[in-house]
Short mmCIF file of all heavy atoms in Angstrom, two decimals:
data_model
loop_
_atom_site.label_atom_id
_atom_site.label_comp_id
_atom_site.label_asym_id
_atom_site.label_seq_id
_atom_site.Cartn_x
_atom_site.Cartn_y
_atom_site.Cartn_z
N MET G 1 -9.98 -7.81 -3.97
CA MET G 1 -9.34 -7.01 -4.98
C MET G 1 -8.94 -7.94 -6.12
O MET G 1 -8.36 -9.00 -5.89
CB MET G 1 -8.12 -6.33 -4.33
CG MET G 1 -7.23 -5.62 -5.25
SD MET G 1 -5.80 -4.74 -4.51
CE MET G 1 -5.98 -4.84 -2.76
N THR G 2 -9.25 -7.54 -7.32
CA THR G 2 -8.90 -8.35 -8.49
C THR G 2 -7.41 -8.19 -8.80
O THR G 2 -6.75 -7.28 -8.30
CB THR G 2 -9.72 -7.93 -9.72
OG1 THR G 2 -9.33 -6.61 -10.09
CG2 THR G 2 -11.21 -8.00 -9.46
N ASP G 3 -6.91 -9.08 -9.64
CA ASP G 3 -5.50 -8.99 -10.04
C ASP G 3 -5.20 -7.67 -10.72
O ASP G 3 -4.14 -7.06 -10.49
CB ASP G 3 -5.13 -10.14 -10.98
CG ASP G 3 -4.96 -11.46 -10.25
OD1 ASP G 3 -4.81 -11.45 -9.00
OD2 ASP G 3 -4.96 -12.50 -10.92
N SER G 4 -6.12 -7.20 -11.56
CA SER G 4 -5.88 -5.94 -12.26
C SER G 4 -5.88 -4.76 -11.29
O SER G 4 -5.08 -3.83 -11.44
CB SER G 4 -6.90 -5.73 -13.38
OG SER G 4 -8.20 -5.64 -12.88
N GLU G 5 -6.75 -4.79 -10.29
CA GLU G 5 -6.75 -3.74 -9.27
C GLU G 5 -5.46 -3.77 -8.46
O GLU G 5 -4.88 -2.72 -8.16
CB GLU G 5 -7.96 -3.88 -8.34
CG GLU G 5 -9.29 -3.59 -9.00
CD GLU G 5 -10.47 -3.98 -8.14
OE1 GLU G 5 -10.36 -4.90 -7.30
OE2 GLU G 5 -11.53 -3.33 -8.30
N PHE G 6 -5.02 -4.97 -8.11
CA PHE G 6 -3.79 -5.14 -7.36
C PHE G 6 -2.61 -4.58 -8.17
O PHE G 6 -1.81 -3.79 -7.66
CB PHE G 6 -3.56 -6.61 -7.03
CG PHE G 6 -2.29 -6.88 -6.26
CD1 PHE G 6 -2.26 -6.76 -4.89
CD2 PHE G 6 -1.13 -7.25 -6.93
CE1 PHE G 6 -1.10 -7.00 -4.18
CE2 PHE G 6 0.04 -7.50 -6.23
CZ PHE G 6 0.06 -7.37 -4.85
N ASN G 7 -2.53 -4.96 -9.44
CA ASN G 7 -1.44 -4.50 -10.30
C ASN G 7 -1.47 -3.00 -10.51
O ASN G 7 -0.42 -2.35 -10.55
CB ASN G 7 -1.46 -5.24 -11.64
CG ASN G 7 -1.11 -6.70 -11.50
OD1 ASN G 7 -0.39 -7.08 -10.57
ND2 ASN G 7 -1.61 -7.52 -12.39
N ALA G 8 -2.66 -2.43 -10.62
CA ALA G 8 -2.79 -0.98 -10.78
C ALA G 8 -2.31 -0.27 -9.52
O ALA G 8 -1.62 0.76 -9.58
CB ALA G 8 -4.23 -0.61 -11.09
N ARG G 9 -2.66 -0.82 -8.36
CA ARG G 9 -2.23 -0.21 -7.11
C ARG G 9 -0.71 -0.33 -6.94
O ARG G 9 -0.05 0.59 -6.49
CB ARG G 9 -2.96 -0.84 -5.92
CG ARG G 9 -2.78 -0.05 -4.65
CD ARG G 9 -3.61 -0.58 -3.51
NE ARG G 9 -5.00 -0.21 -3.67
CZ ARG G 9 -5.95 -0.58 -2.82
NH1 ARG G 9 -5.66 -1.34 -1.80
NH2 ARG G 9 -7.19 -0.20 -3.01
N VAL G 10 -0.15 -1.48 -7.33
CA VAL G 10 1.31 -1.67 -7.27
C VAL G 10 2.00 -0.63 -8.16
O VAL G 10 2.97 0.01 -7.76
CB VAL G 10 1.71 -3.11 -7.68
CG1 VAL G 10 3.22 -3.20 -7.92
CG2 VAL G 10 1.29 -4.10 -6.62
N ALA G 11 1.49 -0.46 -9.38
CA ALA G 11 2.08 0.51 -10.31
C ALA G 11 2.01 1.92 -9.73
O ALA G 11 2.98 2.70 -9.84
CB ALA G 11 1.37 0.45 -11.65
N ARG G 12 0.90 2.25 -9.09
CA ARG G 12 0.73 3.59 -8.49
C ARG G 12 1.72 3.80 -7.34
O ARG G 12 2.34 4.85 -7.22
CB ARG G 12 -0.71 3.76 -8.02
CG ARG G 12 -1.00 5.08 -7.38
CD ARG G 12 -1.01 6.20 -8.37
NE ARG G 12 -1.34 7.43 -7.66
CZ ARG G 12 -0.99 8.62 -8.04
NH1 ARG G 12 -0.32 8.78 -9.15
NH2 ARG G 12 -1.30 9.67 -7.35
N VAL G 13 1.90 2.77 -6.50
CA VAL G 13 2.84 2.87 -5.38
C VAL G 13 4.26 3.04 -5.92
O VAL G 13 5.02 3.88 -5.42
CB VAL G 13 2.73 1.64 -4.45
CG1 VAL G 13 3.86 1.63 -3.44
CG2 VAL G 13 1.38 1.63 -3.74
N CYS G 14 4.61 2.28 -6.94
CA CYS G 14 5.94 2.42 -7.57
C CYS G 14 6.17 3.84 -8.06
O CYS G 14 7.23 4.43 -7.84
CB CYS G 14 6.08 1.47 -8.75
SG CYS G 14 6.39 -0.23 -8.34
N GLN G 15 5.16 4.38 -8.73
CA GLN G 15 5.26 5.71 -9.31
C GLN G 15 5.40 6.78 -8.23
O GLN G 15 6.27 7.64 -8.31
CB GLN G 15 4.02 5.99 -10.17
CG GLN G 15 3.98 7.38 -10.76
CD GLN G 15 2.66 7.65 -11.47
OE1 GLN G 15 1.70 6.91 -11.32
NE2 GLN G 15 2.63 8.71 -12.23
N VAL G 16 4.56 6.73 -7.22
CA VAL G 16 4.54 7.77 -6.19
C VAL G 16 5.74 7.67 -5.26
O VAL G 16 6.37 8.68 -4.93
CB VAL G 16 3.22 7.72 -5.39
CG1 VAL G 16 3.26 8.67 -4.21
CG2 VAL G 16 2.04 8.06 -6.29
N LEU G 17 6.08 6.47 -4.84
CA LEU G 17 7.17 6.30 -3.87
C LEU G 17 8.53 6.11 -4.53
O LEU G 17 9.56 6.21 -3.85
CB LEU G 17 6.88 5.12 -2.95
CG LEU G 17 5.62 5.21 -2.10
CD1 LEU G 17 5.50 3.98 -1.21
CD2 LEU G 17 5.61 6.48 -1.26
N GLY G 18 8.54 5.80 -5.82
CA GLY G 18 9.80 5.58 -6.51
C GLY G 18 10.54 4.35 -6.00
O GLY G 18 11.76 4.33 -5.89
N CYS G 19 9.76 3.31 -5.68
CA CYS G 19 10.36 2.09 -5.14
C CYS G 19 10.23 0.95 -6.15
O CYS G 19 9.60 1.09 -7.19
CB CYS G 19 9.71 1.70 -3.82
SG CYS G 19 7.96 1.30 -3.95
N SER G 20 10.84 -0.19 -5.82
CA SER G 20 10.79 -1.35 -6.71
C SER G 20 9.39 -1.94 -6.74
O SER G 20 8.58 -1.73 -5.82
CB SER G 20 11.78 -2.41 -6.25
OG SER G 20 11.32 -3.02 -5.05
N LYS G 21 9.14 -2.72 -7.78
CA LYS G 21 7.84 -3.38 -7.92
C LYS G 21 7.63 -4.39 -6.79
O LYS G 21 6.52 -4.53 -6.29
CB LYS G 21 7.76 -4.07 -9.28
CG LYS G 21 6.40 -4.63 -9.59
CD LYS G 21 6.35 -5.19 -11.00
CE LYS G 21 4.97 -5.76 -11.29
NZ LYS G 21 4.89 -6.30 -12.64
N ASP G 22 8.69 -5.07 -6.37
CA ASP G 22 8.58 -6.05 -5.28
C ASP G 22 8.19 -5.38 -3.97
O ASP G 22 7.31 -5.86 -3.25
CB ASP G 22 9.88 -6.82 -5.09
CG ASP G 22 10.18 -7.76 -6.24
OD1 ASP G 22 9.23 -8.18 -6.95
OD2 ASP G 22 11.36 -8.09 -6.44
N LEU G 23 8.84 -4.26 -3.65
CA LEU G 23 8.50 -3.54 -2.42
C LEU G 23 7.08 -3.00 -2.50
O LEU G 23 6.32 -3.09 -1.53
CB LEU G 23 9.49 -2.41 -2.17
CG LEU G 23 9.24 -1.58 -0.91
CD1 LEU G 23 9.27 -2.45 0.34
CD2 LEU G 23 10.24 -0.45 -0.80
N ALA G 24 6.71 -2.46 -3.65
CA ALA G 24 5.36 -1.93 -3.83
C ALA G 24 4.32 -3.04 -3.65
O ALA G 24 3.28 -2.82 -3.01
CB ALA G 24 5.22 -1.29 -5.20
N ALA G 25 4.60 -4.23 -4.17
CA ALA G 25 3.66 -5.35 -4.00
C ALA G 25 3.54 -5.73 -2.53
O ALA G 25 2.43 -6.00 -2.05
CB ALA G 25 4.13 -6.55 -4.82
N ASP G 26 4.65 -5.71 -1.80
CA ASP G 26 4.60 -5.99 -0.36
C ASP G 26 3.76 -4.94 0.36
O ASP G 26 2.96 -5.27 1.25
CB ASP G 26 6.00 -6.01 0.24
CG ASP G 26 6.81 -7.22 -0.18
OD1 ASP G 26 6.23 -8.20 -0.70
OD2 ASP G 26 8.05 -7.18 0.00
N TYR G 27 3.92 -3.68 -0.01
CA TYR G 27 3.14 -2.61 0.60
C TYR G 27 1.65 -2.77 0.30
O TYR G 27 0.82 -2.62 1.19
CB TYR G 27 3.62 -1.24 0.11
CG TYR G 27 4.81 -0.68 0.86
CD1 TYR G 27 5.61 -1.47 1.66
CD2 TYR G 27 5.13 0.66 0.74
CE1 TYR G 27 6.70 -0.95 2.33
CE2 TYR G 27 6.22 1.19 1.42
CZ TYR G 27 7.00 0.39 2.21
OH TYR G 27 8.06 0.92 2.88
N VAL G 28 1.33 -3.08 -0.94
CA VAL G 28 -0.08 -3.24 -1.31
C VAL G 28 -0.70 -4.40 -0.55
O VAL G 28 -1.82 -4.30 -0.05
CB VAL G 28 -0.24 -3.41 -2.84
CG1 VAL G 28 -1.66 -3.78 -3.20
CG2 VAL G 28 0.17 -2.12 -3.55
N GLU G 29 0.03 -5.50 -0.42
CA GLU G 29 -0.46 -6.62 0.37
C GLU G 29 -0.67 -6.20 1.82
O GLU G 29 -1.65 -6.58 2.46
CB GLU G 29 0.51 -7.80 0.31
CG GLU G 29 0.49 -8.51 -1.03
CD GLU G 29 1.53 -9.62 -1.12
OE1 GLU G 29 2.10 -10.01 -0.08
OE2 GLU G 29 1.77 -10.09 -2.24
N GLY G 30 0.26 -5.40 2.34
CA GLY G 30 0.17 -4.93 3.72
C GLY G 30 -0.95 -3.93 3.96
O GLY G 30 -1.41 -3.76 5.09
N MET G 31 -1.40 -3.28 2.90
CA MET G 31 -2.52 -2.33 3.02
C MET G 31 -3.85 -3.06 3.11
O MET G 31 -4.79 -2.57 3.72
CB MET G 31 -2.56 -1.41 1.81
CG MET G 31 -1.46 -0.41 1.75
SD MET G 31 -1.64 0.56 0.24
CE MET G 31 0.04 1.01 -0.04
N GLY G 32 -3.94 -4.21 2.46
CA GLY G 32 -5.17 -4.98 2.48
C GLY G 32 -6.22 -4.44 1.52
O GLY G 32 -5.98 -3.52 0.75
N GLU G 33 -7.38 -5.06 1.60
CA GLU G 33 -8.50 -4.68 0.73
C GLU G 33 -8.95 -3.24 0.95
O GLU G 33 -9.21 -2.51 0.01
CB GLU G 33 -9.70 -5.61 0.98
CG GLU G 33 -9.54 -6.99 0.41
CD GLU G 33 -9.71 -7.04 -1.10
OE1 GLU G 33 -10.51 -6.25 -1.64
OE2 GLU G 33 -9.03 -7.86 -1.72
N THR G 34 -9.10 -2.87 2.20
CA THR G 34 -9.52 -1.51 2.54
C THR G 34 -8.47 -0.88 3.44
O THR G 34 -8.40 -1.16 4.63
CB THR G 34 -10.89 -1.51 3.26
OG1 THR G 34 -10.83 -2.41 4.37
CG2 THR G 34 -12.01 -1.93 2.35
N PRO G 35 -7.61 -0.08 2.85
CA PRO G 35 -6.52 0.53 3.60
C PRO G 35 -7.01 1.36 4.79
O PRO G 35 -8.04 2.03 4.71
CB PRO G 35 -5.82 1.43 2.58
CG PRO G 35 -6.21 0.88 1.26
CD PRO G 35 -7.59 0.31 1.44
N VAL G 36 -6.28 1.27 5.88
CA VAL G 36 -6.56 2.06 7.08
C VAL G 36 -5.79 3.37 6.95
O VAL G 36 -4.56 3.36 6.85
CB VAL G 36 -6.14 1.31 8.36
CG1 VAL G 36 -6.32 2.17 9.58
CG2 VAL G 36 -6.89 0.00 8.47
N VAL G 37 -6.51 4.48 6.95
CA VAL G 37 -5.89 5.80 6.84
C VAL G 37 -5.97 6.48 8.19
O VAL G 37 -7.04 6.58 8.79
CB VAL G 37 -6.58 6.66 5.76
CG1 VAL G 37 -5.95 8.03 5.68
CG2 VAL G 37 -6.54 5.96 4.41
N GLU G 38 -4.82 6.94 8.66
CA GLU G 38 -4.73 7.61 9.95
C GLU G 38 -3.86 8.84 9.78
O GLU G 38 -2.69 8.74 9.39
CB GLU G 38 -4.08 6.62 10.93
CG GLU G 38 -4.34 6.90 12.38
CD GLU G 38 -3.81 5.75 13.22
OE1 GLU G 38 -2.62 5.78 13.57
OE2 GLU G 38 -4.60 4.83 13.49
N HIS G 39 -4.43 10.02 10.01
CA HIS G 39 -3.70 11.28 9.89
C HIS G 39 -3.09 11.45 8.49
O HIS G 39 -1.96 11.91 8.35
CB HIS G 39 -2.62 11.40 10.96
CG HIS G 39 -3.12 11.24 12.35
ND1 HIS G 39 -3.92 12.17 12.97
CD2 HIS G 39 -2.96 10.23 13.24
CE1 HIS G 39 -4.23 11.76 14.18
NE2 HIS G 39 -3.66 10.57 14.37
N GLY G 40 -3.83 11.07 7.47
CA GLY G 40 -3.38 11.23 6.09
C GLY G 40 -2.36 10.21 5.62
O GLY G 40 -1.79 10.35 4.55
N LYS G 41 -2.12 9.19 6.42
CA LYS G 41 -1.17 8.14 6.08
C LYS G 41 -1.87 6.79 6.08
O LYS G 41 -2.72 6.52 6.93
CB LYS G 41 -0.01 8.08 7.09
CG LYS G 41 0.76 9.36 7.24
CD LYS G 41 1.69 9.56 6.10
CE LYS G 41 2.55 10.80 6.34
NZ LYS G 41 3.46 11.06 5.28
N ILE G 42 -1.48 5.93 5.13
CA ILE G 42 -2.00 4.56 5.09
C ILE G 42 -1.08 3.70 5.93
O ILE G 42 0.15 3.77 5.81
CB ILE G 42 -2.03 4.03 3.65
CG1 ILE G 42 -2.96 4.88 2.79
CG2 ILE G 42 -2.46 2.56 3.62
CD1 ILE G 42 -2.88 4.56 1.32
N ILE G 43 -1.68 2.90 6.80
CA ILE G 43 -0.91 1.99 7.65
C ILE G 43 -0.65 0.70 6.88
O ILE G 43 -1.58 0.08 6.37
CB ILE G 43 -1.68 1.66 8.95
CG1 ILE G 43 -2.11 2.93 9.67
CG2 ILE G 43 -0.87 0.73 9.84
CD1 ILE G 43 -0.99 3.80 10.15
N VAL G 44 0.62 0.32 6.77
CA VAL G 44 1.02 -0.91 6.10
C VAL G 44 1.48 -1.88 7.18
O VAL G 44 2.35 -1.55 7.98
CB VAL G 44 2.16 -0.66 5.09
CG1 VAL G 44 2.54 -1.94 4.38
CG2 VAL G 44 1.76 0.41 4.08
N ARG G 45 0.87 -3.07 7.21
CA ARG G 45 1.19 -4.05 8.24
C ARG G 45 1.75 -5.34 7.65
O ARG G 45 1.37 -5.73 6.56
CB ARG G 45 -0.06 -4.39 9.06
CG ARG G 45 -0.61 -3.20 9.81
CD ARG G 45 -1.81 -3.59 10.66
NE ARG G 45 -2.35 -2.45 11.36
CZ ARG G 45 -1.96 -2.03 12.56
NH1 ARG G 45 -1.02 -2.69 13.20
NH2 ARG G 45 -2.50 -0.98 13.13
N ASP G 46 2.61 -6.00 8.41
CA ASP G 46 3.12 -7.31 8.00
C ASP G 46 2.08 -8.37 8.36
O ASP G 46 1.06 -8.06 8.99
CB ASP G 46 4.49 -7.59 8.61
CG ASP G 46 4.49 -7.76 10.11
OD1 ASP G 46 3.40 -7.86 10.73
OD2 ASP G 46 5.58 -7.82 10.70
N PRO G 47 2.28 -9.63 7.95
CA PRO G 47 1.29 -10.68 8.22
C PRO G 47 0.99 -10.88 9.72
O PRO G 47 -0.10 -11.34 10.08
CB PRO G 47 1.91 -11.94 7.62
CG PRO G 47 2.78 -11.42 6.52
CD PRO G 47 3.33 -10.12 7.05
N GLN G 48 1.93 -10.52 10.59
CA GLN G 48 1.70 -10.65 12.02
C GLN G 48 0.96 -9.45 12.60
O GLN G 48 0.63 -9.44 13.79
CB GLN G 48 3.04 -10.83 12.77
CG GLN G 48 3.74 -12.14 12.48
CD GLN G 48 4.45 -12.13 11.13
OE1 GLN G 48 4.97 -11.12 10.69
NE2 GLN G 48 4.45 -13.28 10.47
N GLY G 49 0.71 -8.43 11.79
CA GLY G 49 -0.03 -7.26 12.24
C GLY G 49 0.82 -6.10 12.71
O GLY G 49 0.29 -5.07 13.13
N HIS G 50 2.14 -6.23 12.64
CA HIS G 50 3.02 -5.13 13.03
C HIS G 50 3.07 -4.08 11.94
O HIS G 50 3.11 -4.40 10.75
CB HIS G 50 4.44 -5.65 13.28
CG HIS G 50 4.52 -6.67 14.35
ND1 HIS G 50 4.71 -8.01 14.08
CD2 HIS G 50 4.41 -6.56 15.70
CE1 HIS G 50 4.72 -8.67 15.21
NE2 HIS G 50 4.54 -7.83 16.22
N ILE G 51 3.10 -2.82 12.34
CA ILE G 51 3.20 -1.73 11.37
C ILE G 51 4.61 -1.74 10.79
O ILE G 51 5.59 -1.70 11.54
CB ILE G 51 2.90 -0.38 12.02
CG1 ILE G 51 1.44 -0.34 12.48
CG2 ILE G 51 3.19 0.77 11.05
CD1 ILE G 51 1.07 0.89 13.29
N ILE G 52 4.69 -1.80 9.47
CA ILE G 52 6.01 -1.77 8.82
C ILE G 52 6.25 -0.46 8.08
O ILE G 52 7.39 -0.14 7.75
CB ILE G 52 6.22 -2.98 7.88
CG1 ILE G 52 5.14 -3.04 6.80
CG2 ILE G 52 6.27 -4.27 8.67
CD1 ILE G 52 5.39 -4.08 5.72
N ALA G 53 5.17 0.27 7.81
CA ALA G 53 5.33 1.56 7.12
C ALA G 53 4.05 2.37 7.23
O ALA G 53 2.97 1.83 7.48
CB ALA G 53 5.65 1.33 5.65
N ARG G 54 4.23 3.64 7.05
CA ARG G 54 3.11 4.57 6.89
C ARG G 54 3.42 5.34 5.61
O ARG G 54 4.48 5.93 5.49
CB ARG G 54 3.02 5.52 8.07
CG ARG G 54 2.54 4.87 9.34
CD ARG G 54 2.43 5.91 10.46
NE ARG G 54 1.78 5.36 11.62
CZ ARG G 54 2.41 4.78 12.64
NH1 ARG G 54 3.73 4.70 12.63
NH2 ARG G 54 1.74 4.31 13.66
N VAL G 55 2.49 5.29 4.67
CA VAL G 55 2.70 5.97 3.39
C VAL G 55 1.57 6.95 3.14
O VAL G 55 0.46 6.78 3.63
CB VAL G 55 2.83 4.96 2.22
CG1 VAL G 55 4.05 4.09 2.39
CG2 VAL G 55 1.59 4.11 2.08
N SER G 56 1.87 7.97 2.37
CA SER G 56 0.89 9.00 2.08
C SER G 56 -0.37 8.43 1.45
O SER G 56 -0.30 7.58 0.55
CB SER G 56 1.50 10.04 1.14
OG SER G 56 0.54 10.98 0.76
N ALA G 57 -1.51 8.90 1.91
CA ALA G 57 -2.78 8.45 1.36
C ALA G 57 -2.96 8.89 -0.09
O ALA G 57 -3.83 8.37 -0.80
CB ALA G 57 -3.94 8.95 2.22
N SER G 58 -2.13 9.80 -0.55
CA SER G 58 -2.24 10.27 -1.93
C SER G 58 -1.95 9.17 -2.94
O SER G 58 -2.31 9.29 -4.11
CB SER G 58 -1.29 11.46 -2.16
OG SER G 58 0.05 11.03 -2.08
N ILE G 59 -1.34 8.07 -2.52
CA ILE G 59 -1.06 6.99 -3.47
C ILE G 59 -2.35 6.33 -3.94
O ILE G 59 -2.34 5.64 -4.95
CB ILE G 59 -0.09 5.92 -2.91
CG1 ILE G 59 -0.69 5.19 -1.74
CG2 ILE G 59 1.24 6.53 -2.58
CD1 ILE G 59 0.12 3.99 -1.31
N LEU G 60 -3.45 6.54 -3.22
CA LEU G 60 -4.73 5.96 -3.63
C LEU G 60 -5.43 6.82 -4.68
O LEU G 60 -6.34 6.37 -5.34
CB LEU G 60 -5.65 5.78 -2.43
CG LEU G 60 -5.16 4.79 -1.38
CD1 LEU G 60 -6.15 4.74 -0.23
CD2 LEU G 60 -4.96 3.41 -1.96
N GLU G 61 -4.99 8.06 -4.82
CA GLU G 61 -5.60 8.97 -5.79
C GLU G 61 -4.99 8.74 -7.17
O GLU G 61 -3.80 8.48 -7.28
CB GLU G 61 -5.35 10.42 -5.37
CG GLU G 61 -5.92 10.74 -4.01
CD GLU G 61 -5.43 12.07 -3.48
OE1 GLU G 61 -4.70 12.78 -4.20
OE2 GLU G 61 -5.76 12.37 -2.34
N GLU G 62 -5.82 8.83 -8.18
CA GLU G 62 -5.29 8.62 -9.54
C GLU G 62 -5.63 9.76 -10.43
O GLU G 62 -6.28 10.59 -10.40
CB GLU G 62 -5.83 7.32 -10.12
CG GLU G 62 -5.30 6.16 -9.35
CD GLU G 62 -5.54 4.85 -10.05
OE1 GLU G 62 -5.49 4.82 -11.28
OE2 GLU G 62 -5.75 3.87 -9.36
#
């Protein structure tokens, strides 16, 4: 993912979830290059692989 794609995804997460830019950046990093969608939710994992959040897959839609 390019820097511009990363920044666009961070902005989208901020907008949809109404969270800070720092939290959104952590979520985008936890989603990875190809987000895993399960039951309409994106799985967000920490560096150790633990699930830290499940967010609506609608954040990927623009």
Side-chain angles (χ1 to χ4, degrees):
M1 172 178 354
T2 66
D3 284 343
S4 62
E5 291 170 332
F6 180 84
N7 292 333
R9 193 174 284 178
V10 167
R12 180 71 178 154
V13 170
C14 283
Q15 177 186 13
V16 172
L17 299 182
C19 63
S20 71
K21 187 175 180 180
D22 291 336
L23 180 59
D26 289 345
Y27 276 17
V28 171
E29 287 176 12
M31 289 178 207
E33 286 285 327
T34 52
V36 175
V37 179
E38 201 172 87
H39 305 290
K41 303 283 185 181
I42 298 171
I43 306 297
V44 181
R45 297 183 181 271
D46 67 10
Q48 292 78 34
H50 301 106
I51 295 173
I52 58 172
R54 288 182 171 92
V55 296
S56 175
S58 67
I59 65 170
L60 296 179
E61 300 168 4
E62 294 193 35

